[in-house]
């Protein structure tokens, strides 16, 4: 196996179980005899050693500033049964906290570094797991991982692989980036997408992993949706950036007076309508609009001279405004603008759920952006809750970079 030897004193973070080796920390690479090229192949397993020749761990080689993502610490090879052991451990957490039941068969099984599997995401929908590789190393191992999922997770019969958008852009990969890895149960796929349903807290959602965003659904808002349900009774609700309507369904079940769902994507709006019809047939309380968020809010504001429109509860769950560190400044301006609009238009005594899923924007920066929005509008605003990602998106304590979702629940007078 190829060996990676670090510069002196560069082993400290690995000894504290942080799973990344940056390229600048590497003194030299000793290739094994199988190599024709002068560098390791992207995705191959390499053993990492300190300058004093201590074994630090084994991981996947990558091209870029993160050169190795460690899979196992303190060993030079992956132990036998490694994949089954890691998948079993991930499943055990979800099962032991009571997340999986006949009313909830939708959960994230593997959350990358949070489950000690850097570069791997696995979401489970009823009997099907949808897997995404964010590294070539995980792509290379996709079949063995799929087999481990089938062996270790009783409810899963099928594994679909969807890595078109997640593998590094220029990486040379062999084999398909998308398609079934294992099917034990034939699934209905029609021209209009998957007719496939999964249950979250007793609500049914159509999951279209073929055409949908990410693996087809945003599992990370489950707990926050339940909080919206608690507060929705009797209220006029706006679910902005609704995607497949997660928050809308919970608000309807919570007794909302009306619910408006808004997303710029018509495909998303079609799915919201399908989901509402399945769970609340012929319910006149719900309306969905394909519209840009800023246009929708601005129009509502200018149509109402009082500057106060018809919502008591607003949810803002925009896409990641900052995908990279250098976009943070603009992202913060974006959060301030959209939150100012919502704070401006909500009824007195209204409740605003506002989120950021940009990993590059931390909790404090996001809170400051929302503070600036409140100050700009000049209304009295208090924080009722500080929200975050749920328990099936765990944060490895040695890898704080795994924290990405944050939210505030505000009471606006
Ligand atoms: N709240 C959703 C997830 C939101 S993902 C849930 O619980 O599942 C972000 C969504 O914002 C996407 O569906 C995307 O289509 C939508 N979006 C992106 N830009 C937008 C814009 N300018 N106006 C309205 N929606 C937008």
């Amino acid at each position: 196996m190829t060996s990676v030897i670090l510069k002196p004193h560069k082993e400290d973070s690995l000894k504290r179980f942080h799973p990344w080796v940056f390229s600048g920390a590497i003194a030299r690479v000793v290739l094994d005899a199988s190599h024709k090229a002068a560098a390791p192949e992207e995705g191959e397993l390499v053993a990492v050693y300190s300058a004093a020749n201590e074994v630090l761990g084994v991981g996947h080689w990558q091209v870029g500033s993160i050169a190795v993502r460690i899979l196992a610490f303190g060993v030079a090879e992956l132990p036998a049964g490694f994949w089954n052991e890691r998948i079993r451990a991930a499943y055990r957490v979800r099962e032991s906290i009571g997340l999986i039941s006949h009313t909830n068969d939708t959960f994230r099984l593997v959350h990358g570094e949070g489950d000690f599997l850097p570069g791997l995401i696995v979401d489970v929908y009823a009997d099907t797991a949808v897997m995404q590789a964010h590294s070539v190393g995980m792509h290379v191992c996709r079949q063995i991982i799929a087999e481990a999922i089938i062996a270790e997770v009783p409810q899963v019969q099928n594994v679909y692989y969807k890595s078109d958008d997640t593998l590094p852009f220029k990486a040379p990969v062999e084999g398909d980036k998308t398609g079934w890895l294992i099917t034990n149960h034939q699934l209905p796929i029609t021209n209009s997408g998957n007719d496939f349903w999964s249950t979250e807290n007793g609500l049914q959602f159509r999951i279209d992993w073929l055409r949908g965003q990410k693996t087809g659904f945003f599992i990370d808002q489950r707990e926050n949706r339940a909080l919206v349900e608690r507060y929705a009774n009797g209220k006029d609700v706006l679910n902005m950036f609704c995607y497949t309507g997660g928050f809308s369904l919970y608000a309807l079940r919570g007794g909302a007076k009306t619910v408006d769902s808004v997303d710029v994507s018509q495909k998303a709006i079609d799915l919201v309508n399908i989901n509402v019809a399945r769970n609340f047939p012929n319910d006149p309380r719900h309306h969905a609009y394909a519209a840009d968020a800023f246009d929708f809010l601005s129009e509502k504001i200018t149509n109402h001279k009082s500057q106060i429109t018809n919502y008591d509860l607003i949810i803002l769950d925009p896409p990641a405004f900052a995908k990279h560190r250098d976009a943070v400044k603009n992202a913060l301006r974006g959060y301030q603008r959209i939150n100012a609009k919502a704070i401006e238009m909500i009824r007195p005594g209204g409740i605003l759920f506002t989120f950021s899923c940009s990993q590059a924007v931390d909790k404090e920066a996001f809170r400051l952006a929302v503070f600036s929005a409140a100050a700009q509008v000049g209304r009295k605003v208090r924080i009722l809750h500080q929200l975050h990602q749920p328990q099936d998106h765990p944060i490895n304590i040695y890898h704080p970079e795994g924290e990405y979702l944050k939210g505030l629940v505000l009471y606006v007078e």
Side-chain angles (χ1 to χ4, degrees), residues 11-23:
E11 67 278 12
D12 292 356
S13 69
L14 287 186
K15 286 192 167 171
R16 287 194 304 265
F17 307 114
H18 191 286
W20 296 347
V21 176
F22 289 97
S23 56

Side-chain angles (χ1 to χ4, degrees), residues 121 220 302:
I121 295 294
D220 58 1
T302 41

Side-chain angles (χ1 to χ4, degrees), residues 262-277:
V262 179
D263 199 287
V264 76
S265 149
Q266 181 63 48
K267 265 193 313 198
I269 293 303
D270 294 344
L271 270 171
V272 178
N273 285 326
I274 289 171
N275 287 333
V276 171

